Amino acid sequence: MGQNLASSASKGLPEGGKAQRVFLHLHQEITRGVYAPGSVLPGEQKLAATLGVSRVTVRRALDVLEKDGLVERRVGSGTTVCAQKSSPSMAADFSTLMPQLVEMGRNTTARLLSFSYGAAPGGVAEALGLGAQVRVQTAVRLRLVENEPFSHLTTWVPEEIAQNYTEAELATTPLFRLLERSGVKVDSAHQTVSATLASPEVAETLGVRIGAPLLSLDRVVRDEEGRGVEYLAALYRPDMFRLEMSLNHVGVGETRHWEPVINPARKEAAE
């Protein structure tokens, strides 16, 4: 998800700070699946009212989105979201690496920013294997190091599981502990790491400029039966967070290769 945003935004942003904010907001909504391919965006007047800008500003943002191939605009038909073209890609296996907080001898705290129930974005529902009618709990949290914001976390959990804990508990307890207490037996996870740009909302929360580069991590967690139990979309300030991996050189002769070292002391996945 983050890779699409970063690559497209690099083609150029619309002129004007407000138009750039609208562009980044809509770009993120489209790449996250909030607006599925074939769906029609709200009209210019409605977008302008919702985002607190003029129709001219919205039009500038839509112009760039259209140039990037994300939407198609037709008189009388509105603005339609285009199907995303697949790009050649290379994948690195991070199955033995769970992101850890950088060991700086500090305690971290989390602040719950929003908590609600409703339908999941299209991409999230597909990744979790949820039906169209399945509701999820959506929570947005800010994690801080010594009162300095460094990560923006959005989680989606099926309502059937999430109803076992309260908003107050999520505000004070790590989600993975709440999942365990709810009877979830986590078995596996698949995660991708990429880069993205800070949307207006995220930029304000993390204290960075709009369009600033961020480390993006998406993780889908499954239980022993293979059911999706959590989707995490995490955004990190790269000046405050990094991923590390220790490797051993193993094998003999031409079969020698690098393998990750699993540190048993790091069993819990940090957010």
Side-chain angles (χ1 to χ4, degrees), residues 121-137:
V124 172
E126 181 179 358
L128 291 175
L130 302 179
Q133 303 303 317
V134 178
R135 283 162 41 98
V136 297
Q137 174 205 88

Side-chain angles (χ1 to χ4, degrees), residues 19-132:
Q20 291 174 7
R21 288 196 293 271
V22 173
F23 169 84
L24 291 170
H25 171 77
L26 293 176
H27 201 313
Q28 187 175 55
E29 295 284 271
I30 292 171
T31 55
R32 277 271 169 85
V34 175
Y35 296 111
S39 64
V40 179
L41 294 181
E44 292 180 3
Q45 185 172 348
K46 185 174 183 180
L47 284 173
T50 301
L51 300 175
V53 297
S54 68
R55 289 186 64 178
V56 173
T57 296
V58 171
R59 198 170 296 122
R60 287 175 180 169
L62 292 176
D63 285 342
V64 179
L65 288 171
E66 187 172 32
K67 289 179 181 178
D68 288 348
L70 292 177
V71 301
E72 181 180 6
R73 302 158 75 191
R74 293 183 178 178
V75 177
S77 300
T79 303
T80 303
V81 177
C82 300
Q84 299 298 297
K85 297 179 180 179
S86 59
S87 302
S89 62
M90 297 181 65
D93 186 1
F94 279 84
S95 61
T96 56
L97 174 66
M98 298 299 279
Q100 302 293 325
L101 299 178
V102 178
E103 296 179 358
M104 295 181 287
R106 309 170 181 173
N107 292 323
T108 65
T109 57
R111 182 183 303 162
L112 184 63
L113 303 180
S114 66
F115 180 95
S116 62
Y117 284 90
V124 172
E126 181 179 358
L128 291 175
L130 302 179

